[in-house]
Amino acid sequence: WLEMEGPAFDEQPNIASELKVTIISDRSEGGVYHKGEEVSFILSANKEAYFYIYDYNPAGEIVRLYPCEEDEKKFRFQNAIMPAQEASWTIEPPFGVDRILVFATENPVPLPQPQAKCGTPISLSLRELYQHYRQFQSSRGYAEAVTTIVTKE
């Protein structure tokens, strides 16, 4: 049922970057979560960066998870547990395999479709999302990573 445009999730372009990033759920790669449970992710980079996090859900929708607030776009960090303590991400339909995409940049970049409310689908294909962030690659300041979680009712 899952059709993708463009590169596979684990396919990295030839990015010659000093910036490296990883993301993993609090239950590890492929962790299982049930409806109503909260999920968090551990983000790590080898130096401070701006992070942009999306969920590619089982319905084929792309949902921005972070940043959501205007002031969050200004934060650089190296390691974090997301969401922050004052927020939560709760499992809800559609259920199946979710791919959590993280893009990290040395400099802030504009969001694709900034008018879209955080937590709701944006109207971009997966290919368009990757193209949006990859256009900001520099010789040192761009990285991307993916982790998967399994969601069930």
Side-chain angles (χ1 to χ4, degrees):
W1 65 268
L2 178 63
E3 292 184 28
M4 289 182 34
E5 297 177 37
F9 280 104
D10 60 352
E11 181 180 319
Q12 292 281 341
N14 292 326
I15 299 173
S17 176
E18 293 177 8
L19 181 60
K20 306 292 181 206
V21 64
T22 60
I23 182 171
I24 192 159
S25 81
D26 56 355
R27 295 187 186 167
S28 298
E29 177 73 21
V32 177
Y33 297 83
H34 292 88
K35 181 179 179 178
E37 291 185 323
E38 292 184 4
V39 60
S40 61
F41 298 92
I42 301 162
L43 295 171
S44 183
N46 62 333
K47 59 184 176 179
E48 284 192 350
Y50 296 91
F51 288 85
Y52 307 89
I53 307 169
Y54 295 85
D55 176 18
Y56 184 62
N57 70 29
E61 301 167 323
I62 298 170
V63 177
R64 179 167 36 97
L65 301 176
Y66 182 88
C68 289
E69 305 299 326
E70 192 61 37
D71 61 340
E72 290 176 334
K73 297 175 192 172
K74 301 174 187 170
F75 291 135
R76 283 175 53 132
F77 51 88
Q78 185 170 352
N79 300 297
I81 296 176
M82 299 299 282
Q85 289 181 341
E86 60 277 358
S88 65
W89 293 337
T90 304
I91 301 301
E92 55 187 51
F95 301 115
V97 176
D98 288 69
R99 281 143 177 91
I100 310 303
L101 318 170
V102 62
F103 302 93
T105 59
E106 194 171 73
N107 298 303
V109 300
L111 292 172
Q113 299 182 350
Q115 73 285 0
K117 185 177 176 188
C118 209
T120 61
I122 60 175
S123 58
L124 288 179
S125 69
L126 190 58
R127 173 183 295 226
E128 291 167 329
L129 182 68
Y130 272 96
Q131 286 174 337
H132 172 80
Y133 283 101
R134 288 177 180 170
Q135 72 178 320
F136 299 107
Q137 293 180 53
S138 69
S139 60
R140 305 176 9 237
Y142 175 83
E144 58 191 49
V146 177
T147 192
T148 60
I149 62 171
V150 177
T151 58
K152 297 182 176 186
E153 190 158 4

